[in-house]
Structure formats: structure tokens, C-alpha cells
Amino acid sequence: MTVTLSCKIHAAKDLRLESEGEAGLAPHEVEVALGAAGICGSDLHYYFHGRAGAFEIREPLTPGHEAAGVVRRTGSAVKGVAPGQKVAVNPSHACHVCRYCREGRENLCSSMRFLGSASIYPHVQGMFRESFVVAESQLTPVNADISFGELAFAEPLAVALHAVNRSGPLLGKSVLVTGAGTIGCLIVMAARLAGAKEIISCDIADHPLQVARQAGATQTLRSDRLTGKELSDIADICIEAAGSKEALATCLQAARRGGRIVQVGTLSAEGLQFPANSVMARELDYVGAFRFGVEFDWAVNYLVSKRIDVKPLLTAQLPLRDAVAAFTLAADKSRSTKVQLTGEAAIM
């Protein structure tokens, strides 16, 4: 029997490398050998805190929801991919029958199974392992010359594209993005693709802002060093991608009258005060952007066609066995933007 190595988080700061036996395949399932998988903010929360927002680890969890790899085995009814084929992996497995799926909003599926998430119990195990089994419908075959590292950005890029999609038309508009991490920088790239005239990136640290400039921001601001007056009424669209109440406050102040605020980051409910009267009096649109839908296919296309270059965001790749070191580096925003774990497919 083939044995595969898997990262398992048992509790806060308790990550173990464990061996798993070969999984069986249902007719429409595919086994994928890991090429590269990015460490996301939610993965960091699971590792350092044992929870991500309201989702608490209740059994050992293999995190990881942004990955690319190579098909190893296929179920008897699989026709769209074959062993040896490079694939991007969509972590969303929607039911396709609930009202939200039928309305074309699969990201809001009432029965969503999202890889590497503790949102339901038993948890949906993720892709920080040497190989994993997913439904054929979650795979996008790729025949182009693109690295696993670049292709693994399809998931976070899809999040960014969905955020920009929720922003409305951006042609000729000014856009402010709070947070210059991976998602924030990818939103900068997506806003450029959508025709934004000016893209302002805000953060409270210098290294992320340097990366944001490489991503295409026309202006970068240390929001912790500015007065409220300097931030007032400077953008048509404000996108909150930092996941902090201070960043949301920046968006609420920076949005022009009649503007729109898009919340992408997950905020702590503790101490959150919302200026509803300001939203009313200035006629601000306030919308959420959660995960993605069809944008995953768009993301793969933009990466493969080189219309978006994510290489400036990739800080480091470490082998799966060095997962703890990778998590530590990924948490240090003074040194890293995106850190990935690599598997056996990366050296095939």
C-alpha cells in the first residue's frame, strides 16, 4: 500500500507530520500528487490559534486550500483528466442543487465542502499532503508551460477577482485597497486588469507596500502614519483586505460620497463599531465578497495567458516536511508575502 505524508494540526501550535494509507477512489474522483500549495491567512490562524474566525478545530485538520499538482490516479468514470496531467485545484465543492447554486452563486452554497476548512464537522481535509483525492469537477487541466508555484495562485487570485467583480465597473475609477498581503496585492493586479485609473495600497508595514508597488499600485500609503484628513474622500471604491477594524475604518473614511466599500477580510467582532449613519448620509454601498465562483476559471486563464504575473508575490517554497518552518516564515510579514509547501510532483 502506498503511504502519503500529511500535515495535521491537532491544536494551536501542534502540527504533526503523519502517514496516511492510500485512499480509495469513487468513480468521479481523482488522486492528485502535490506540486505546490500556498499558506493562507486562515491556515496561519488554524496553526497559531487553533481556529479561524468562528471555525474551531475539533479534530486533527490537514489545512491547505490553494494548490496545483499532477494527476496520479483516476476513478473509473473520469474522462476529463488523465494520469500525468498538470492541474489547478479548486477547493470549493458546491452541491449544485441548492437555491444559491442554481442562482449562479455557488460560493454561497448552503452545503459547501471547502478543502482545508473546519467550518463543518467532520472537517474537510485540505491539501498540505503528498497526495489527496478530489472530485474531477474541482480540477482544471493545464497544458501550458507554467510552474506549480504560479498555478497555485489560482485560488487567491480568484478571491481577488471576485472582490473586484463585487466592486462594480472600475474603468477610470480610483481604488483604495487596505492590506498589502497576498490578497491585497492580487486585488491591485485585478483592479489594473479591470481598468482602474488609480490604485492606492494601504498597510502599516513597509515590506508589504514594496510588494504592492511591484504588483502595480500607483500609490502606497502607511495608513498608521496619516491623519484622518489626509485619508478623507480619496477613492471611489475601497476594498478591505486586511481583516482589521482599523483597516475598515480607513475604508469608511477614504470612500467618497456615493462610493462603494467591499469587505473581503474577516474581521473580529470584538470592539467593532460601525458608523451606520455615515453610510446612510453619504450614500455608501457596503457589500461583502466571500470566496469566489466562476472567477476560479478566470484566474487560471489569466495565469496561463500571463496576463497576470504573480511571481513577485512568491517569497519562498519549502518541502512539506518543513511545514513548521514554512508557517513561521509565512507569519512574518516583514519578510514574506506568499510561502508555499511543495510535494513530490514539484521534482518530477
Short mmCIF file of all heavy atoms in Angstrom, two decimals, residues 145-198:
data_model
loop_
_atom_site.label_atom_id
_atom_site.label_comp_id
_atom_site.label_asym_id
_atom_site.label_seq_id
_atom_site.Cartn_x
_atom_site.Cartn_y
_atom_site.Cartn_z
N ASP A 145 3.00 25.95 -20.28
CA ASP A 145 4.26 25.98 -19.55
C ASP A 145 4.15 26.98 -18.41
O ASP A 145 4.41 28.17 -18.57
CB ASP A 145 5.40 26.37 -20.50
CG ASP A 145 6.76 26.37 -19.80
OD1 ASP A 145 6.85 25.78 -18.71
OD2 ASP A 145 7.70 26.99 -20.33
N ILE A 146 3.73 26.50 -17.27
CA ILE A 146 3.57 27.34 -16.08
C ILE A 146 3.98 26.52 -14.87
O ILE A 146 3.71 25.32 -14.80
CB ILE A 146 2.11 27.85 -15.95
CG1 ILE A 146 1.98 28.78 -14.74
CG2 ILE A 146 1.13 26.70 -15.89
CD1 ILE A 146 0.62 29.47 -14.66
N SER A 147 4.64 27.15 -13.93
CA SER A 147 5.12 26.42 -12.76
C SER A 147 3.98 26.10 -11.80
O SER A 147 2.93 26.75 -11.81
CB SER A 147 6.19 27.25 -12.03
OG SER A 147 5.59 28.39 -11.42
N PHE A 148 4.21 25.07 -10.96
CA PHE A 148 3.22 24.75 -9.94
C PHE A 148 3.02 25.93 -9.00
O PHE A 148 1.91 26.21 -8.55
CB PHE A 148 3.66 23.52 -9.13
CG PHE A 148 3.62 22.24 -9.90
CD1 PHE A 148 4.80 21.53 -10.15
CD2 PHE A 148 2.43 21.73 -10.38
CE1 PHE A 148 4.78 20.34 -10.85
CE2 PHE A 148 2.39 20.53 -11.08
CZ PHE A 148 3.57 19.84 -11.32
N GLY A 149 4.11 26.62 -8.68
CA GLY A 149 4.02 27.76 -7.78
C GLY A 149 3.10 28.84 -8.30
O GLY A 149 2.28 29.39 -7.56
N GLU A 150 3.21 29.16 -9.58
CA GLU A 150 2.32 30.17 -10.16
C GLU A 150 0.89 29.67 -10.21
O GLU A 150 -0.05 30.40 -9.88
CB GLU A 150 2.80 30.52 -11.58
CG GLU A 150 4.12 31.25 -11.65
CD GLU A 150 4.64 31.33 -13.08
OE1 GLU A 150 4.28 32.30 -13.77
OE2 GLU A 150 5.37 30.40 -13.52
N LEU A 151 0.71 28.42 -10.61
CA LEU A 151 -0.63 27.87 -10.77
C LEU A 151 -1.37 27.77 -9.43
O LEU A 151 -2.60 27.88 -9.38
CB LEU A 151 -0.54 26.50 -11.45
CG LEU A 151 -1.82 25.92 -12.06
CD1 LEU A 151 -2.44 26.90 -13.05
CD2 LEU A 151 -1.51 24.60 -12.74
N ALA A 152 -0.62 27.60 -8.36
CA ALA A 152 -1.24 27.51 -7.03
C ALA A 152 -1.83 28.84 -6.58
O ALA A 152 -2.56 28.89 -5.59
CB ALA A 152 -0.21 27.01 -6.01
N PHE A 153 -1.53 29.91 -7.31
CA PHE A 153 -2.12 31.22 -7.00
C PHE A 153 -3.55 31.34 -7.56
O PHE A 153 -4.19 32.37 -7.34
CB PHE A 153 -1.27 32.35 -7.59
CG PHE A 153 -0.15 32.82 -6.71
CD1 PHE A 153 1.08 32.22 -6.77
CD2 PHE A 153 -0.33 33.88 -5.82
CE1 PHE A 153 2.14 32.65 -5.97
CE2 PHE A 153 0.70 34.32 -5.02
CZ PHE A 153 1.93 33.71 -5.08
N ALA A 154 -4.03 30.33 -8.27
CA ALA A 154 -5.36 30.44 -8.87
C ALA A 154 -6.43 30.72 -7.82
O ALA A 154 -7.33 31.53 -8.04
CB ALA A 154 -5.68 29.17 -9.66
N GLU A 155 -6.34 30.04 -6.66
CA GLU A 155 -7.37 30.24 -5.64
C GLU A 155 -7.35 31.65 -5.05
O GLU A 155 -8.38 32.33 -5.06
CB GLU A 155 -7.22 29.17 -4.54
CG GLU A 155 -8.43 29.09 -3.60
CD GLU A 155 -8.40 30.08 -2.46
OE1 GLU A 155 -7.32 30.65 -2.19
OE2 GLU A 155 -9.44 30.31 -1.82
N PRO A 156 -6.21 32.15 -4.54
CA PRO A 156 -6.25 33.53 -4.02
C PRO A 156 -6.53 34.57 -5.10
O PRO A 156 -7.17 35.59 -4.82
CB PRO A 156 -4.87 33.72 -3.38
CG PRO A 156 -4.01 32.67 -4.00
CD PRO A 156 -4.90 31.51 -4.27
N LEU A 157 -6.08 34.32 -6.34
CA LEU A 157 -6.40 35.25 -7.41
C LEU A 157 -7.90 35.26 -7.68
O LEU A 157 -8.49 36.31 -7.96
CB LEU A 157 -5.63 34.88 -8.69
CG LEU A 157 -5.92 35.75 -9.92
CD1 LEU A 157 -5.69 37.24 -9.64
CD2 LEU A 157 -5.06 35.29 -11.10
N ALA A 158 -8.54 34.09 -7.57
CA ALA A 158 -10.00 34.03 -7.75
C ALA A 158 -10.70 34.86 -6.68
O ALA A 158 -11.71 35.53 -6.96
CB ALA A 158 -10.47 32.57 -7.69
N VAL A 159 -10.20 34.83 -5.45
CA VAL A 159 -10.75 35.66 -4.38
C VAL A 159 -10.65 37.14 -4.76
O VAL A 159 -11.60 37.92 -4.59
CB VAL A 159 -10.02 35.39 -3.05
CG1 VAL A 159 -10.45 36.40 -1.98
CG2 VAL A 159 -10.28 33.97 -2.57
N ALA A 160 -9.49 37.53 -5.28
CA ALA A 160 -9.27 38.93 -5.69
C ALA A 160 -10.18 39.32 -6.84
O ALA A 160 -10.76 40.41 -6.86
CB ALA A 160 -7.80 39.12 -6.07
N LEU A 161 -10.32 38.44 -7.81
CA LEU A 161 -11.18 38.74 -8.96
C LEU A 161 -12.64 38.86 -8.52
O LEU A 161 -13.39 39.72 -9.02
CB LEU A 161 -11.04 37.63 -10.01
CG LEU A 161 -9.69 37.58 -10.73
CD1 LEU A 161 -9.58 36.29 -11.55
CD2 LEU A 161 -9.51 38.79 -11.65
N HIS A 162 -13.05 38.03 -7.57
CA HIS A 162 -14.43 38.12 -7.07
C HIS A 162 -14.64 39.44 -6.34
O HIS A 162 -15.69 40.08 -6.47
CB HIS A 162 -14.73 36.94 -6.15
CG HIS A 162 -16.15 36.90 -5.68
ND1 HIS A 162 -17.21 36.72 -6.53
CD2 HIS A 162 -16.68 37.04 -4.42
CE1 HIS A 162 -18.34 36.74 -5.84
NE2 HIS A 162 -18.05 36.93 -4.56
N ALA A 163 -13.64 39.87 -5.57
CA ALA A 163 -13.74 41.15 -4.86
C ALA A 163 -13.89 42.30 -5.85
O ALA A 163 -14.71 43.20 -5.65
CB ALA A 163 -12.50 41.36 -3.98
N VAL A 164 -13.10 42.27 -6.91
CA VAL A 164 -13.18 43.32 -7.93
C VAL A 164 -14.52 43.22 -8.68
O VAL A 164 -15.13 44.24 -9.02
CB VAL A 164 -11.98 43.21 -8.90
CG1 VAL A 164 -12.20 44.04 -10.15
CG2 VAL A 164 -10.71 43.67 -8.18
N ASN A 165 -14.99 42.02 -8.90
CA ASN A 165 -16.28 41.83 -9.55
C ASN A 165 -17.41 42.43 -8.72
O ASN A 165 -18.36 43.02 -9.24
CB ASN A 165 -16.51 40.33 -9.77
CG ASN A 165 -17.34 40.02 -11.00
OD1 ASN A 165 -17.48 40.86 -11.90
ND2 ASN A 165 -17.90 38.83 -11.06
N ARG A 166 -17.28 42.29 -7.39
CA ARG A 166 -18.29 42.84 -6.48
C ARG A 166 -18.18 44.37 -6.36
O ARG A 166 -19.08 45.02 -5.83
CB ARG A 166 -18.15 42.21 -5.10
CG ARG A 166 -18.48 40.72 -5.05
CD ARG A 166 -19.97 40.48 -5.05
NE ARG A 166 -20.56 40.82 -3.76
CZ ARG A 166 -21.86 41.07 -3.56
NH1 ARG A 166 -22.70 41.05 -4.58
NH2 ARG A 166 -22.32 41.35 -2.35
N SER A 167 -17.07 44.91 -6.85
CA SER A 167 -16.85 46.36 -6.77
C SER A 167 -17.63 47.13 -7.81
O SER A 167 -17.78 48.36 -7.70
CB SER A 167 -15.36 46.68 -6.93
OG SER A 167 -14.59 46.07 -5.92
N GLY A 168 -18.11 46.45 -8.85
CA GLY A 168 -18.76 47.14 -9.95
C GLY A 168 -17.73 47.60 -10.97
O GLY A 168 -16.53 47.32 -10.84
N PRO A 169 -18.15 48.33 -12.01
CA PRO A 169 -17.21 48.78 -13.06
C PRO A 169 -16.10 49.64 -12.47
O PRO A 169 -16.37 50.59 -11.72
CB PRO A 169 -18.11 49.59 -14.00
CG PRO A 169 -19.49 49.09 -13.75
CD PRO A 169 -19.55 48.74 -12.29
N LEU A 170 -14.85 49.34 -12.82
CA LEU A 170 -13.71 50.09 -12.29
C LEU A 170 -13.02 50.95 -13.34
O LEU A 170 -12.08 51.67 -13.01
CB LEU A 170 -12.67 49.12 -11.69
CG LEU A 170 -13.09 48.34 -10.44
CD1 LEU A 170 -11.88 47.62 -9.85
CD2 LEU A 170 -13.71 49.25 -9.40
N LEU A 171 -13.47 50.89 -14.57
CA LEU A 171 -12.82 51.65 -15.63
C LEU A 171 -12.80 53.14 -15.28
O LEU A 171 -13.84 53.76 -15.07
CB LEU A 171 -13.55 51.44 -16.96
CG LEU A 171 -12.87 52.00 -18.21
CD1 LEU A 171 -11.55 51.29 -18.45
CD2 LEU A 171 -13.78 51.85 -19.43
N GLY A 172 -11.58 53.69 -15.19
CA GLY A 172 -11.42 55.10 -14.89
C GLY A 172 -11.62 55.48 -13.44
O GLY A 172 -11.55 56.67 -13.08
N LYS A 173 -11.86 54.50 -12.56
CA LYS A 173 -12.11 54.79 -11.15
C LYS A 173 -10.83 54.79 -10.32
O LYS A 173 -9.80 54.21 -10.71
CB LYS A 173 -13.07 53.73 -10.57
CG LYS A 173 -14.43 53.67 -11.23
CD LYS A 173 -15.30 54.85 -10.85
CE LYS A 173 -16.69 54.76 -11.45
NZ LYS A 173 -17.49 53.65 -10.90
N SER A 174 -10.92 55.41 -9.15
CA SER A 174 -9.83 55.34 -8.17
C SER A 174 -10.21 54.29 -7.13
O SER A 174 -11.35 54.26 -6.65
CB SER A 174 -9.61 56.70 -7.51
OG SER A 174 -10.79 57.16 -6.88
N VAL A 175 -9.24 53.43 -6.80
CA VAL A 175 -9.49 52.30 -5.91
C VAL A 175 -8.48 52.32 -4.77
O VAL A 175 -7.28 52.50 -5.01
CB VAL A 175 -9.38 50.96 -6.67
CG1 VAL A 175 -9.60 49.79 -5.72
CG2 VAL A 175 -10.36 50.91 -7.82
N LEU A 176 -8.95 52.16 -3.54
CA LEU A 176 -8.07 52.03 -2.39
C LEU A 176 -8.20 50.61 -1.85
O LEU A 176 -9.31 50.11 -1.69
CB LEU A 176 -8.43 53.05 -1.32
CG LEU A 176 -7.59 52.99 -0.03
CD1 LEU A 176 -7.25 54.39 0.47
CD2 LEU A 176 -8.35 52.23 1.08
N VAL A 177 -7.06 49.97 -1.59
CA VAL A 177 -7.03 48.60 -1.07
C VAL A 177 -6.30 48.63 0.27
O VAL A 177 -5.12 49.00 0.33
CB VAL A 177 -6.33 47.63 -2.03
CG1 VAL A 177 -6.39 46.21 -1.48
CG2 VAL A 177 -6.94 47.70 -3.43
N THR A 178 -6.99 48.25 1.34
CA THR A 178 -6.32 48.17 2.64
C THR A 178 -5.77 46.76 2.83
O THR A 178 -6.46 45.78 2.63
CB THR A 178 -7.27 48.51 3.80
OG1 THR A 178 -8.40 47.63 3.75
CG2 THR A 178 -7.75 49.94 3.70
N GLY A 179 -4.50 46.70 3.22
CA GLY A 179 -3.82 45.41 3.37
C GLY A 179 -3.06 45.09 2.10
O GLY A 179 -3.64 44.98 1.02
N ALA A 180 -1.75 44.92 2.24
CA ALA A 180 -0.91 44.62 1.08
C ALA A 180 -0.29 43.24 1.20
O ALA A 180 0.85 43.01 0.79
CB ALA A 180 0.19 45.68 0.92
N GLY A 181 -1.07 42.31 1.76
CA GLY A 181 -0.66 40.91 1.76
C GLY A 181 -0.96 40.30 0.40
O GLY A 181 -1.17 41.01 -0.59
N THR A 182 -1.00 38.98 0.36
CA THR A 182 -1.24 38.30 -0.91
C THR A 182 -2.55 38.74 -1.56
O THR A 182 -2.57 39.12 -2.74
CB THR A 182 -1.26 36.77 -0.71
OG1 THR A 182 0.01 36.35 -0.19
CG2 THR A 182 -1.51 36.06 -2.03
N ILE A 183 -3.65 38.68 -0.81
CA ILE A 183 -4.95 39.04 -1.38
C ILE A 183 -4.97 40.51 -1.78
O ILE A 183 -5.44 40.86 -2.88
CB ILE A 183 -6.09 38.74 -0.40
CG1 ILE A 183 -6.16 37.23 -0.10
CG2 ILE A 183 -7.42 39.23 -0.95
CD1 ILE A 183 -6.47 36.37 -1.30
N GLY A 184 -4.45 41.38 -0.94
CA GLY A 184 -4.43 42.80 -1.26
C GLY A 184 -3.66 43.09 -2.54
O GLY A 184 -4.10 43.86 -3.40
N CYS A 185 -2.49 42.46 -2.68
CA CYS A 185 -1.68 42.68 -3.88
C CYS A 185 -2.35 42.09 -5.12
O CYS A 185 -2.28 42.66 -6.22
CB CYS A 185 -0.28 42.08 -3.70
SG CYS A 185 0.78 43.03 -2.58
N LEU A 186 -3.01 40.95 -4.96
CA LEU A 186 -3.72 40.36 -6.10
C LEU A 186 -4.93 41.22 -6.48
O LEU A 186 -5.29 41.32 -7.67
CB LEU A 186 -4.17 38.94 -5.76
CG LEU A 186 -3.03 37.90 -5.71
CD1 LEU A 186 -3.54 36.58 -5.15
CD2 LEU A 186 -2.41 37.68 -7.10
N ILE A 187 -5.56 41.86 -5.50
CA ILE A 187 -6.65 42.80 -5.81
C ILE A 187 -6.11 43.98 -6.60
O ILE A 187 -6.75 44.47 -7.54
CB ILE A 187 -7.35 43.25 -4.52
CG1 ILE A 187 -8.16 42.09 -3.94
CG2 ILE A 187 -8.27 44.45 -4.79
CD1 ILE A 187 -8.76 42.38 -2.57
N VAL A 188 -4.91 44.44 -6.24
CA VAL A 188 -4.27 45.51 -7.02
C VAL A 188 -4.12 45.08 -8.48
O VAL A 188 -4.45 45.82 -9.41
CB VAL A 188 -2.89 45.87 -6.42
CG1 VAL A 188 -2.08 46.74 -7.38
CG2 VAL A 188 -3.06 46.58 -5.08
N MET A 189 -3.63 43.86 -8.69
CA MET A 189 -3.46 43.34 -10.05
C MET A 189 -4.80 43.22 -10.77
O MET A 189 -4.92 43.58 -11.95
CB MET A 189 -2.76 41.98 -10.01
CG MET A 189 -1.34 42.01 -9.50
SD MET A 189 -0.62 40.33 -9.46
CE MET A 189 1.04 40.69 -8.89
N ALA A 190 -5.80 42.72 -10.07
CA ALA A 190 -7.12 42.55 -10.67
C ALA A 190 -7.76 43.90 -10.99
O ALA A 190 -8.44 44.04 -12.02
CB ALA A 190 -8.03 41.74 -9.74
N ALA A 191 -7.55 44.89 -10.14
CA ALA A 191 -8.10 46.23 -10.40
C ALA A 191 -7.44 46.86 -11.63
O ALA A 191 -8.09 47.55 -12.42
CB ALA A 191 -7.90 47.11 -9.17
N ARG A 192 -6.15 46.63 -11.80
CA ARG A 192 -5.47 47.11 -13.00
C ARG A 192 -6.07 46.46 -14.23
O ARG A 192 -6.33 47.12 -15.25
CB ARG A 192 -3.97 46.77 -12.95
CG ARG A 192 -3.16 47.60 -11.98
CD ARG A 192 -1.67 47.28 -12.15
NE ARG A 192 -1.18 47.64 -13.48
CZ ARG A 192 -0.05 47.17 -14.00
NH1 ARG A 192 0.68 46.31 -13.33
NH2 ARG A 192 0.34 47.56 -15.19
N LEU A 193 -6.30 45.15 -14.16
CA LEU A 193 -6.88 44.42 -15.28
C LEU A 193 -8.27 44.96 -15.61
O LEU A 193 -8.68 44.96 -16.78
CB LEU A 193 -6.97 42.94 -14.93
CG LEU A 193 -7.14 41.94 -16.06
CD1 LEU A 193 -5.92 41.92 -16.97
CD2 LEU A 193 -7.38 40.54 -15.50
N ALA A 194 -8.99 45.44 -14.59
CA ALA A 194 -10.35 45.96 -14.79
C ALA A 194 -10.38 47.42 -15.23
O ALA A 194 -11.46 47.98 -15.43
CB ALA A 194 -11.15 45.80 -13.50
N GLY A 195 -9.21 48.03 -15.36
CA GLY A 195 -9.15 49.38 -15.91
C GLY A 195 -9.16 50.51 -14.91
O GLY A 195 -9.41 51.66 -15.28
N ALA A 196 -8.87 50.24 -13.63
CA ALA A 196 -8.83 51.31 -12.64
C ALA A 196 -7.78 52.35 -13.01
O ALA A 196 -6.68 52.02 -13.45
CB ALA A 196 -8.55 50.75 -11.25
N LYS A 197 -8.13 53.62 -12.82
CA LYS A 197 -7.22 54.71 -13.17
C LYS A 197 -6.13 54.88 -12.12
O LYS A 197 -4.96 55.12 -12.44
CB LYS A 197 -8.01 56.01 -13.31
CG LYS A 197 -7.17 57.26 -13.56
CD LYS A 197 -8.04 58.51 -13.58
CE LYS A 197 -8.61 58.80 -12.21
NZ LYS A 197 -9.38 60.08 -12.17
N GLU A 198 -6.51 54.77 -10.87
CA GLU A 198 -5.58 54.94 -9.75
C GLU A 198 -5.84 53.84 -8.74
O GLU A 198 -6.98 53.54 -8.42
CB GLU A 198 -5.78 56.31 -9.10
CG GLU A 198 -4.80 56.60 -7.97
CD GLU A 198 -5.02 57.97 -7.34
OE1 GLU A 198 -6.11 58.54 -7.55
OE2 GLU A 198 -4.13 58.44 -6.62
#
